[in-house]
Amino acid sequence: MDTATAAPCVVMLVKRLPEVSSSQAYRCVRFVSLSALALAPTVAAAEGWRVNTALTTRVIASDNINYSAISPQSDSLVELNPRVNLTRTSPRLQLNLTYTPRYLHYVEETFDSRVAHDYNGTGSVEIVDDLFFLSGTAISAQRNQSIFNAVPSDNQLSPNQLNRTRTYSLTPSFRGTVRLGDIATWRSSYNIVRSETAGSVNAGTLTAETFNGTLAGAPATLSWQVDVNSTKTSSDIARATDRQRVTGSLIYKYDATLRLVGRYGYEDTNFSNQRSGNTYGAGFSWNPSLRTSISGDYDDRPFASTSSFNISHRMPRIAMSADYRRTLTNRAEQILSPSGAIDLAESLALLEPFASESDPVQRLRLIENFLRDNGLSRFQVALSPILSDRQFLQTRWQVSATRTGVRNTVSLSYFRTESNSGIGGIGPAVGDDFALSPIIRQNGWTASYSHRVSTDSSVNLSYTSSKSNGTSLSGLGTNRDTLNATWSTRLGTRSNGSIGLRMTRATVTAGDVDENAVIATLSTRFN
């Protein structure tokens, strides 16, 4: 295969993926991956751009690869994951894009071999100096069809229980200020999000449009602000929603550390319950020291109350945080800002030696190197998102703590959510988990421990437990417990290898699901 056939190869993979044989897919993926790797040095030479390429090969031998309580099947999976990461950091452009075409081959043919196109990218460009910006996000990944499945939240190997989601967000905004004399300034943004789900269930497209505008008075000890918000959602399988809100706020700045806010306004919605009425609320933010921050917010709205509270504190080697949120959300927002997930990079960024690095890009690079050397995953997920096109009210609690030592890293986190489809939704739920239960409660926790055995090797243990329950009338409930034990080592300057064991125990409606697996991984970075 030569370079002239590259474009047809990609088109074949994308447009005719269901018809492509495993051998054809493998040849195409191999060629495209090697072509990207060959081009990387040329692209990386461009000023301000950085290209990182890698290849990860993973072999999994599982005694229940389909996570079935009735007819478990053992199989071995060979997975090839070429990865290309493109970053750009400049005064006007920020870009971070990762693309991974994952080739999965099932030796015993429990499932058809396939290519999964995963990508995750964020970017922002300054179009007009200090005034007009354009930012965007694109995410493609496989996710649990239902939170009542047995598949662990971090597993993507059983396509019969997974859906492919693609979510795109585009936001043109006036982040700078448009001055109206010496009296006030104007800021505004428009955001459009499109989320697509493909699979045997919950397939559909959700679109959300949001406009935010702020008219703020001149900075002073006592100032004022007027906010305008409009949000509209539309879907293939759920009724459209529409809400508009106008609020006026008084802002009191006691000093550089304390800020108090009181607001009053009016909100109109087309929700099934109370549609319109007055809204009022208050909030505060307090930063008593460089190590501690506290903030809170509460609003009484026509359909329900919404609120948030956050506290974070760091010590030389320990970072702790607690977060509470009660807000309207939907599938797209769940994917863009997942609940029940902890980003270790956020916790480590508060600790030394990372906190003293002023450049955020370099800080993240140092953290990623630290995580890789210690065999840790950046994201630890305990709860799966609810793939529903409905808008619903979610209450979430999250507590986490991370401690780093000379040779040890310990992370603990706890999550709890309650999702109510009766608030914010219109009409009956169709084809999703809310059709089974109008209220869903989830809770889970995860703990991980990493120990540096030597300069090149480390041992990592992690345990994740989660529960998902419907209302008592629905009788739905799922428990999942997953234990991972992994030994990883550096095989060279740019290569790492690991071998580990995974044990999964779950209880679903159909019965008990047990899975044991041996996982071997080899990763190579090319630059």
Side-chain angles (χ1 to χ4, degrees):
M1 185 182 292
D2 56 22
T3 54
T5 61
C9 175
V10 174
V11 172
M12 178 182 70
L13 282 175
V14 175
K15 294 187 176 181
R16 300 179 57 242
L17 188 57
E19 308 169 13
V20 177
S21 67
S22 60
S23 59
Q24 288 176 309
Y26 174 73
R27 288 197 297 270
C28 287
V29 170
R30 181 182 61 182
F31 173 76
V32 173
S33 303
L34 292 177
S35 299
L37 297 178
L39 289 173
T42 303
V43 178
E47 183 180 359
W49 293 90
R50 183 181 179 87
V51 177
N52 293 306
T53 55
L55 176 65
T56 298
T57 303
R58 186 166 67 156
V59 179
I60 302 176
S62 171
D63 63 357
N64 189 359
I65 203 164
N66 58 334
Y67 284 89
S68 173
I70 301 173
S71 56
Q73 299 185 45
S74 61
D75 203 341
S76 296
L77 173 70
V78 179
E79 186 177 352
L80 298 177
N81 299 323
R83 179 177 63 86
V84 178
N85 174 251
L86 175 65
T87 60
R88 163 75 171 179
T89 303
S90 70
R92 301 185 69 91
L93 175 63
Q94 304 287 325
L95 177 67
N96 190 338
L97 173 63
T98 299
Y99 171 61
T100 305
R102 304 170 58 226
Y103 174 69
L104 300 97
H105 174 69
Y106 298 85
V107 176
E108 301 297 331
E109 299 183 346
T110 302
F111 302 106
D112 294 334
S113 299
R114 68 189 192 277
V115 177
H117 298 276
D118 291 359
Y119 50 81
N120 191 324
T122 59
S124 176
V125 58
E126 183 179 8
I127 298 176
V128 179
D129 290 348
D130 298 323
L131 179 63
F132 185 61
F133 293 76
L134 181 65
S135 59
T137 301
I139 301 174
S140 175
Q142 288 182 307
R143 304 182 189 276
N144 221 339
Q145 287 178 352
S146 171
I147 62 171
F148 299 113
N149 285 346
V151 178
S153 54
D154 63 346
N155 187 283
Q156 299 188 16
L157 307 181
S158 303
N160 62 321
Q161 299 188 50
L162 301 172
N163 275 4
R164 166 67 57 177
T165 64
R166 301 178 183 88
T167 303
Y168 312 96
S169 172
L170 186 65
T171 307
S173 61
F174 287 96
R175 294 189 202 167
T177 56
V178 178
R179 293 197 172 275
L180 306 177
D182 296 329
I183 301 175
T185 58
W186 170 260
R187 302 186 304 273
S188 63
S189 66
Y190 170 79
N191 172 252
I192 181 168
V193 177
R194 180 181 176 89
S195 183
E196 304 170 353
T197 300
S200 57
V201 297
N202 300 345
T205 299
L206 170 69
T207 302
E209 300 175 66
T210 302
F211 172 81
N212 289 298
T214 299
L215 182 66
T221 301
L222 182 62
S223 59
W224 58 271
Q225 181 174 300
V226 177
D227 294 287
V228 180
N229 172 269
S230 173
T231 301
K232 299 179 180 180
T233 68
S234 60
S235 166
D236 298 339
I237 58 177
R239 292 180 59 182
T241 65
D242 187 1
R243 71 177 190 269
Q244 293 86 32
R245 186 185 187 198
V246 179
T247 58
S249 304
L250 286 178
I251 305 169
Y252 175 65
K253 295 182 180 179
Y254 178 77
D255 55 23
T257 65
L258 180 61
R259 181 176 183 266
L260 304 175
V261 179
R263 55 184 167 268
Y264 187 85
Y266 185 83
E267 185 167 13
D268 180 71
T269 78
N270 67 340
F271 296 165
S272 299
N273 54 348
Q274 186 176 354
R275 296 187 176 186
S276 60
N278 297 328
T279 176
Y280 57 89
F284 76 96
S285 61
W286 183 39
N287 301 302
S289 69
L290 294 176
R291 294 175 177 268
T292 305
S293 64
I294 305 173
S295 63
D297 202 87
Y298 174 85
D299 280 291
D300 187 86
R301 303 170 71 173
F303 51 87
S305 63
T306 58
S307 55
S308 65
F309 178 81
N310 177 269
I311 179 172
S312 63
H313 177 70
R314 65 181 176 92
M315 292 177 282
R317 290 190 175 275
I318 300 177
M320 301 176 291
S321 67
D323 186 79
Y324 168 84
R325 294 186 184 277
R326 177 179 166 91
T327 185
L328 287 175
T329 187
N330 54 43
R331 166 172 36 104
E333 294 180 5
Q334 291 274 291
I335 293 174
L336 292 173
S337 301
S339 61
I342 180 173
D343 184 356
L344 278 180
E346 293 183 355
S347 299
L348 292 173
L350 302 175
L351 303 175
E352 296 295 346
F354 313 111
S356 58
E357 174 56 58
S358 58
D359 184 354
V361 176
Q362 180 62 21
R363 186 192 310 123
L364 180 58
R365 191 169 297 135
L366 292 173
I367 292 174
E368 290 177 340
N369 291 339
F370 173 84
L371 294 174
R372 182 178 62 247
D373 293 342
N374 287 274
L376 293 168
S377 299
R378 176 179 173 181
F379 295 98
Q380 298 180 350
V381 181
L383 301 178
S384 301
I386 300 174
L387 298 186
S388 173
D389 283 14
R390 289 175 66 87
Q391 191 168 235
F392 56 94
L393 184 70
Q394 184 175 82
T395 305
R396 174 170 64 92
W397 296 263
Q398 176 176 323
V399 180
S400 61
T402 302
R403 185 189 187 280
T404 60
V406 178
R407 301 171 67 91
N408 304 301
T409 300
V410 179
S411 177
L412 299 171
S413 58
Y414 172 79
F415 310 93
R416 183 180 176 185
T417 67
E418 179 178 289
S419 303
N420 188 340
S421 66
I423 300 177
I426 303 176
V430 179
D432 58 34
D433 286 335
F434 285 125
L436 305 175
S437 176
I439 298 177
I440 297 174
R441 298 179 178 90
Q442 299 172 274
N443 64 77
W445 61 274
T446 181
S448 66
Y449 170 73
S450 176
H451 174 68
R452 291 291 297 270
V453 179
S454 66
T455 305
D456 296 327
S457 302
S458 63
V459 175
N460 182 46
L461 301 174
S462 67
Y463 185 85
T464 300
S465 177
S466 65
K467 296 181 181 181
S468 300
N469 297 293
T471 60
S472 58
L473 294 177
S474 69
L476 292 173
T478 297
N479 300 333
R480 303 188 197 98
D481 296 280
T482 303
L483 173 66
N484 285 280
T486 305
W487 175 78
S488 59
T489 186
R490 184 180 300 170
L491 301 176
T493 306
R494 295 180 177 177
S495 298
N496 294 75
S498 68
I499 187 166
L501 302 174
R502 180 179 67 208
M503 296 177 59
T504 301
R505 302 292 182 262
T507 301
V508 296
T509 304
D512 294 333
V513 178
D514 295 340
E515 190 253 3
N516 303 285
V518 178
I519 305 171
T521 303
L522 175 64
S523 301
T524 301
R525 303 184 306 277
F526 296 96
N527 60 337

